Amino acid sequence: MEILSESALVIYPIPPGVRVEDNVLEERLEEAAGLARAINLDVLDCYSVNISKISPANFLSKGIIERIADQVEELEPQVVIFDAALSPVQQRNLERHVNCKVIDRTGLILEIFGDRAQTREGKIQVDLALLEYQRSRLVRAWTHLERQRGATGFMGGPGETQIELDRRIIGDKIAKLKKDLEQVRRTRNLAQAKREK
């Protein structure tokens, strides 16, 4: 996941049946905007939306999505941040509907950690967490291609090939980072043991 830059729209979805006091809502919005600013994003707008029912596919209702899409068209942010946990499918569907990159609270926090990591061990741990997060976002990422199967009994769609390739690439990177992390820890432990002697 690349470090984000430029501008963002920040949205705090209020879950169904939850009543949020005005002062608490204000604090929550300020916190969400603050997290975005922590990685130098220019927050174009920050507001809450009330959700009457969480959609398994899109998280939000069609009407709210249309309002956000209109605002994305008007303000042209590089990213829309949802101060909530989105499933990979919800994230991908929202991106398609609002025609903009979408990240959730977890993705934003991982970006901040990545931006702030100082030690080699810290940077490797953040890279590992980002890759694990990305891998979870691969679920059915290419289903639109799987439907393009040949009529003559060809079973594997191009989407399956692509997702397998993506999984293997990410899996290889994760394995390498785990090895690097183990090496860094071993080196640190040896240096610590020498100092103690």
Side-chain angles (χ1 to χ4, degrees):
M1 190 178 295
E2 72 277 7
I3 295 297
L4 302 171
S5 62
E6 304 193 30
S7 61
L9 188 58
V10 179
I11 299 167
Y12 170 51
I14 300 172
V18 174
R19 167 101 173 87
V20 183
E21 298 297 323
D22 288 345
N23 61 332
V24 174
L25 180 59
E26 205 173 299
E27 285 173 17
R28 183 71 191 239
L29 289 171
E30 189 47 49
E31 179 196 11
L35 288 172
R37 290 186 195 106
I39 50 172
N40 301 316
L41 285 171
D42 176 23
V43 177
L44 302 174
D45 200 356
C46 180
Y47 58 92
S48 64
V49 292
N50 288 302
I51 304 174
S52 56
K53 183 182 173 195
I54 293 177
S55 160
N58 301 312
F59 192 72
L60 303 170
S61 68
K62 189 178 175 189
I64 294 173
I65 292 171
E66 285 172 1
R67 265 196 351 241
I68 294 169
D70 289 345
Q71 197 172 23
V72 165
E73 194 174 330
E74 181 189 332
L75 298 176
E76 299 181 349
Q78 274 67 49
V79 64
V80 177
I81 298 167
F82 284 91
D83 189 17
L86 300 174
S87 74
V89 170
Q90 289 167 339
Q91 181 180 350
R92 194 169 40 261
N93 287 342
L94 284 168
E95 282 182 345
R96 198 174 67 240
H97 292 312
V98 303
N99 199 25
C100 185
K101 180 176 175 61
V102 168
I103 64 170
D104 65 0
R105 186 177 177 90
T106 304
L108 178 59
I109 289 169
L110 285 171
E111 290 285 356
I112 293 167
F113 282 140
D115 201 38
R116 303 273 164 94
Q118 297 296 316
T119 65
R120 176 153 164 70
E121 183 177 3
K123 288 176 182 172
I124 292 172
Q125 285 174 328
V126 169
D127 286 345
L128 259 174
L130 285 170
L131 283 170
E132 293 284 1
Y133 180 76
Q134 273 184 323
R135 183 164 64 180
S136 77
R137 267 42 198 158
L138 280 178
V139 180
R140 287 192 253 167
W142 297 89
T143 50
H144 64 290
L145 294 176
E146 287 176 17
R147 293 191 197 102
Q148 300 173 0
R149 292 190 172 143
T152 57
F154 176 67
M155 289 307 291
E160 291 168 326
T161 305
Q162 184 62 52
I163 197 167
E164 285 166 10
L165 178 65
D166 290 349
R167 276 197 184 119
R168 187 170 50 76
I169 289 168
I170 288 180
D172 290 348
K173 287 180 180 176
I174 287 172
K176 183 187 180 314
L177 284 172
K178 283 183 175 173
K179 247 189 246 176
D180 291 350
L181 187 59
E182 191 52 46
Q183 183 61 46
V184 166
R185 284 177 176 161
R186 228 188 340 262
T187 304
R188 186 191 62 214
N189 290 342
L190 285 171
Q192 190 176 353
K194 281 182 185 176
R195 280 195 304 273
E196 285 171 2
K197 279 183 186 176

